[in-house]
Amino acid sequence: MSGITSFTSVPVIDIGGLYSPERAEQERVAAEIGRAAAEVGFFYISGTGIDESLFDAMLAAVKEFFALPVEEKMRNYIGLSSCHRGYVPIGEEGLEGTVPDLKEAFDTALDLPVDDPDYLCGNPMLGPNAWPELAGFAPAVTAYYQALLAVGQRLLWAFAVALGEDPEVFSRHATKTPSQLRLIHYPYNPDAKDSIGIGAHTDYECFTLLKPTAPGLEVLNGAGEWIDVPPVDGAFVVNIGDLLELWTNGAFVATSHRVRKVAEERYSFPLFFNVDYYTEVKPLPQFATPEAKSRPTLRAGEHLFAQTAQTFAYLRQRIETGELVLPDGSLGLGQFGQQALQEVD
């Protein structure tokens, strides 16, 4: 059983204290983060120090890109990339056998040079970004990505402290991460009904930092109820992902969430904070007790790639033709999170 409660709202945590020179203040905030991770799995953070102008500049650039004709956007189609970067058209993404998600996106990550050794070796998630020929787009997205990535590094430290671990137990594995920043656009849909836009799922990495422009996000509580997580001015949404659930053997549960269809146009910018591609993730010793659930060891990047490959049409086609083979030990979708636990219970 997880510790996720029957919460009806998501807490807001001011993380300014993580940047305090006083260790006691840092630990106080880390403890607050730890409680939210264990009891809710979702929380807002304020006090990040990120200048709002960085978000505004990125949003303006993204709006300009998504307003382009489809054929123009398809010049950067993600299926043309060898490291999963670029434009995701409507209908590309969704679970096999289900209605594709009604959204478009542009996927970015750590922008590595073309002579990077991991990229040259064929790593499927590390390499250069695919940038559109749009003045200001790449600088605006990169500046926002780097600022948010720095906040993610501090949160990773805080999670370790909250667990009573060596503060660097996770951070030492976050040096060259396949952490993705997705730029997502939900078009205006006057015919939208109160139904599911993106089905229930967990995120494949350690945790997610999200800033949306409109409501629609919902999270599953311990009683099996869906709770609204609306935008909060000046704050980011944080939710626990698969890898922190595995590292803590369920003390932190990857949060099952979904997006409800809304009529208004919506932009959403999740940064999926990961650790290095070949990091082996398994329950930490304090959680690997004889009576604890047995969980398989995963490699962080391989888990990300396997889950991604089962979600994107262009990758599923490559699996079907034998061009692409999933890593050994790859899990099917839906193996983590509150929903998976409730199905077992």
Side-chain angles (χ1 to χ4, degrees):
M1 294 291 292
S2 78
I4 298 294
T5 62
S6 300
F7 61 88
T8 56
S9 62
V10 174
V12 180
I13 300 174
D14 184 341
I15 67 164
L18 291 180
Y19 302 95
S20 168
E22 301 296 330
R23 180 57 181 251
E25 178 65 4
Q26 297 172 16
E27 292 180 350
R28 181 193 66 77
V29 176
E32 196 173 348
I33 288 171
R35 283 193 297 274
E39 296 175 3
V40 180
F42 246 75
F43 52 95
Y44 297 97
I45 58 169
S46 61
T48 63
I50 292 181
D51 192 322
E52 194 68 23
S53 66
L54 287 177
F55 179 80
D56 293 340
M58 178 193 61
L59 178 59
V62 167
K63 285 183 175 181
E64 186 178 359
F65 171 77
F66 284 124
L68 293 172
V70 172
E71 58 270 20
E72 184 74 17
K73 292 181 284 191
M74 285 296 286
R75 292 182 181 180
N76 292 108
Y77 174 52
I78 198 165
L80 302 175
S81 167
S82 57
C83 56
H84 196 68
R85 312 293 172 86
Y87 177 62
V88 182
I90 292 174
E92 173 71 33
E93 188 180 356
L95 304 181
E96 189 169 17
T98 65
V99 177
D101 294 342
L102 185 60
K103 70 175 191 291
E104 57 182 343
F106 196 95
D107 284 10
T108 71
L110 187 64
D111 196 11
L112 298 171
V114 293
D115 61 353
D116 177 82
D118 285 301
Y119 177 60
L120 293 177
C121 287
N123 188 294
M125 303 303 285
L126 293 172
N129 282 331
W131 296 116
E133 295 182 6
L134 201 62
F137 185 93
V141 172
T142 299
Y144 180 77
Y145 176 81
Q146 291 175 342
L148 203 53
L149 200 67
V151 173
Q153 288 280 4
R154 199 60 187 159
L155 285 177
L156 198 63
W157 179 92
F159 284 123
V161 171
L163 292 166
E165 294 283 341
D166 171 358
E168 304 301 320
V169 70
F170 304 133
S171 299
R172 65 172 61 101
H173 299 296
T175 63
K176 183 184 180 181
T177 73
S179 299
Q180 300 178 84
L181 173 63
R182 304 204 70 203
L183 318 171
I184 305 175
H185 176 224
Y186 299 83
Y188 171 67
N189 181 9
D191 299 321
K193 298 178 181 178
D194 192 10
S195 59
I196 304 306
I198 298 178
H201 65 284
T202 61
D203 294 337
Y204 315 140
E205 299 84 354
C206 292
F207 57 88
T208 303
L209 281 156
L210 169 71
K211 193 172 179 69
T213 63
L217 180 64
E218 297 178 329
V219 58
L220 189 66
N221 71 9
E225 302 163 333
W226 289 100
I227 306 301
D228 282 326
V229 186
V232 170
D233 287 343
F236 296 84
V237 178
V238 179
N239 66 269
I240 303 303
D242 294 352
L243 298 185
L244 276 180
E245 178 176 321
L246 178 55
W247 252 320
T248 64
N249 212 8
F252 292 171
V253 177
T255 324
S256 300
H257 54 286
R258 68 187 187 187
V259 176
R260 191 181 68 251
K261 288 181 180 178
V262 293
E264 64 185 296
E265 185 175 35
R266 181 177 185 266
Y267 294 87
S268 180
F269 303 97
L271 172 70
F272 300 102
F273 195 95
N274 212 336
V275 284
D276 296 336
Y277 191 91
Y278 293 106
T279 302
E280 287 197 345
V281 180
K282 60 183 179 181
L284 294 163
Q286 67 164 300
F287 300 106
T289 57
E291 63 275 10
K293 178 181 178 180
S294 177
R295 294 173 181 253
T297 298
L298 296 176
R299 283 194 174 93
E302 290 182 351
H303 177 62
L304 166 63
F305 177 62
Q307 301 293 289
T308 301
Q310 295 173 75
T311 309
F312 282 76
Y314 87 95
L315 291 171
R316 289 202 304 266
Q317 290 169 3
R318 293 177 187 177
I319 294 172
E320 290 168 5
T321 62
E323 179 185 349
L324 177 65
V325 178
L326 295 181
D328 290 341
S330 295
L331 299 178
L333 297 168
Q335 303 295 306
F336 289 87
Q338 186 63 26
Q339 193 169 47
L341 286 172
Q342 290 181 7
E343 287 173 358
V344 170
D345 294 342

